[in-house]
């Protein structure tokens, strides 16, 4: 279960119609996204199922930084939300 250099969809394509500048900006950040996804997976491997807030605390980043990576990992089928809620957030685990 590893994150590949997943071809990230341009999240702004609906707004910008996939124009060249938007596509280029998306490509520029895609390697950073992959690294962040890998860090999320490493934290989950080390500490087990956690909430977004708990993952963010372990990574020493803001929660909004982690939530997008969790969504991407869910879309790739690498993590899933569980039925467990803790501290107001759904617990995420590796599939």
């Amino acid at each position: 279960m590893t994150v590949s250099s997943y071809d990230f969809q341009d999240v702004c394509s609906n707004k910008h119609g996939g124009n060249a500048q938007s596509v280029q900006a998306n490509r520029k950040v895609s390697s950073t996204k992959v690294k962040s996804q890998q860090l999320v997976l490493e934290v989950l491997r080390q500490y087990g199922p956690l909430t977004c807030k708990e993952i963010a605390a372990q990574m020493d980043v803001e929660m909004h930084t982690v939530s997008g990576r969790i969504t991407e990992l869910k879309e790739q089928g690498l993590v899933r939300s569980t039925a467990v809620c803790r501290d107001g957030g759904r617990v995420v685990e590796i599939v």
Side-chain angles (χ1 to χ4, degrees):
M1 261 188 276
T2 59
V3 179
S4 63
S5 28
Y6 175 78
D7 187 23
F8 286 95
Q9 196 173 24
D10 183 357
V11 294
C12 296
S13 63
N14 290 335
K15 281 185 172 180
H16 304 290
N19 70 33
Q21 185 178 5
S22 181
V23 170
Q24 183 179 13
N26 188 60
R27 285 188 182 136
K28 187 175 182 178
V29 299
S30 66
S31 66
T32 303
K33 288 181 181 180
V34 170
K35 288 176 187 173
S36 294
Q37 288 177 353
Q38 289 170 337
L39 285 173
V40 168
L41 290 172
E42 286 175 26
V43 168
L44 289 171
R45 283 187 195 103
Q46 184 173 356
Y47 297 99
L50 299 170
T51 65
C52 179
K53 184 177 183 178
E54 293 166 339
I55 294 168
Q58 290 299 324
M59 293 173 61
D60 196 27
V61 297
E62 297 294 327
M63 221 169 75
H64 66 85
T65 303
V66 174
S67 65
R69 303 305 72 87
I70 290 172
T71 299
E72 293 158 0
L73 291 167
K74 284 179 185 177
E75 290 171 355
Q76 294 177 55
L78 297 174
V79 301
R80 65 177 167 225
S81 293
T82 67
V84 177
C85 283
R86 195 164 49 225
D87 195 22
R90 189 76 64 181
V91 172
V92 178
E93 66 184 3
I94 295 176
V95 175

